[in-house]
Amino acid sequence: MTIIVAVGLALLSESLKSSQEANELLAKKSDILKSVGKSDVEDVESFFSERIQGLVLDNNGSILEGVDAIDVNLEEEDKKPAEQKRYPLYVYSGEGGSNRYIIPMRGSGLWGPIWGYIAIEDDYSTIAGVSFDHATETPGLGAEITQNWFQDSFVGKNIRDDLGEFTGITVKKGALNKPKHQVGAISGATITGDGVTDMIKEDVENYLPYFESQQQTANL
């Protein structure tokens, strides 16, 4: 009887694990689509398959073959030396033939990790949308990074200045003196806001070599 119960529990555990992993993957795809304004898609799997191409880059911006972007774990990649890191990138094929480049990000908030996706227009500068999430930020304060009002404030901002230099986006308290490159901070959530600022700057910067190569190719 003990053996039968043990086997049954093992099978149940494995079944639940598979279901949990499938749900996590579906949530990940939903968050990626949310960054390009597709939060109301009924069949996420089908839409993702039709519209999203996954790429994996090395630290020089070259495409790595034989690696599925959705399988790359940012937390594990962060532990590797720079020359061994892999950078997943999702290319969304939009209406009218335009592309948007979706970069996954991971950073630190006040109480724990924060993460998200930032979608860049095919000018490699303008933000098309973002999607943020967290594990343990304070409700009503840092947890507000998940709210539409905060995420919508990034749309149309620029990660480069007028000379084409990379600036990132700053979550700023008070008046915005560089409104093209800043968004308003969440009241009482300075550390989480700083975490978002750092996350965008540090993670997006890794993709600049790829963006620059794409721009050079387009100009030939």
Side-chain angles (χ1 to χ4, degrees):
M1 179 63 70
T2 302
I3 294 175
I4 294 174
V5 171
V7 171
L9 289 174
L11 291 174
L12 178 60
S13 176
E14 188 62 30
S15 174
L16 291 175
K17 180 180 178 182
S18 298
S19 178
Q20 181 181 19
E21 289 175 349
N23 289 336
E24 289 175 354
L25 182 59
L26 184 63
K28 185 175 183 178
K29 291 179 178 179
S30 296
D31 286 342
I32 291 170
L33 292 177
K34 184 179 179 182
S35 71
V36 288
K38 301 299 180 181
S39 58
D40 56 352
V41 174
E42 291 186 6
D43 188 345
V44 171
E45 291 285 4
S46 177
F47 191 88
F48 190 94
S49 177
E50 292 174 2
R51 294 283 188 166
I52 299 288
Q53 176 190 12
L55 305 175
V56 180
L57 312 176
D58 64 17
N59 68 324
N60 295 313
S62 299
I63 297 175
L64 297 172
E65 301 295 341
V67 187
D68 192 338
I70 206 76
D71 293 332
V72 178
N73 185 308
L74 294 187
E75 186 176 5
E76 293 299 320
E77 295 303 313
D78 284 344
K79 301 173 184 177
K80 298 179 180 180
E83 64 275 8
Q84 296 179 14
K85 289 184 179 180
R86 301 174 300 174
Y87 302 99
L89 177 67
Y90 302 94
V91 184
Y92 170 73
S93 299
E95 298 76 7
S98 61
N99 288 337
R100 292 174 180 173
Y101 298 88
I102 305 168
I103 297 172
M105 305 175 293
R106 182 177 175 84
S108 298
L110 175 60
W111 302 113
I114 57 175
W115 59 88
Y117 299 89
I118 183 169
I120 308 295
E121 300 280 6
D122 55 11
D123 62 359
Y124 307 104
S125 178
T126 306
I127 295 177
V130 298
S131 172
F132 299 129
D133 210 340
H134 67 94
T136 54
E137 296 307 290
T138 307
L141 298 176
E144 292 291 293
I145 63 171
T146 65
Q147 299 301 304
N148 289 338
W149 70 266
F150 180 68
Q151 297 182 13
D152 290 347
S153 67
F154 286 80
V155 177
K157 303 293 183 176
N158 284 270
I159 61 170
R160 300 177 187 268
D161 63 20
D162 293 339
L163 298 177
E165 295 298 319
F166 178 66
T167 61
I169 299 294
T170 300
V171 179
K172 184 179 182 297
K173 294 172 63 177
L176 306 183
N177 58 337
K178 297 180 180 178
K180 290 173 62 177
H181 315 293
Q182 299 168 338
V183 299
I186 299 167
S187 179
T190 300
I191 293 177
T192 305
D194 290 345
V196 171
T197 296
D198 294 341
M199 178 173 69
I200 292 174
K201 180 156 189 170
E202 292 170 7
D203 287 350
V204 174
E205 194 165 23
N206 295 319
Y207 293 82
L208 297 184
Y210 175 77
F211 286 169
E212 289 164 4
S213 70
Q214 292 296 103
Q215 287 178 303
Q216 290 172 2
T217 299
N219 292 332
L220 292 178

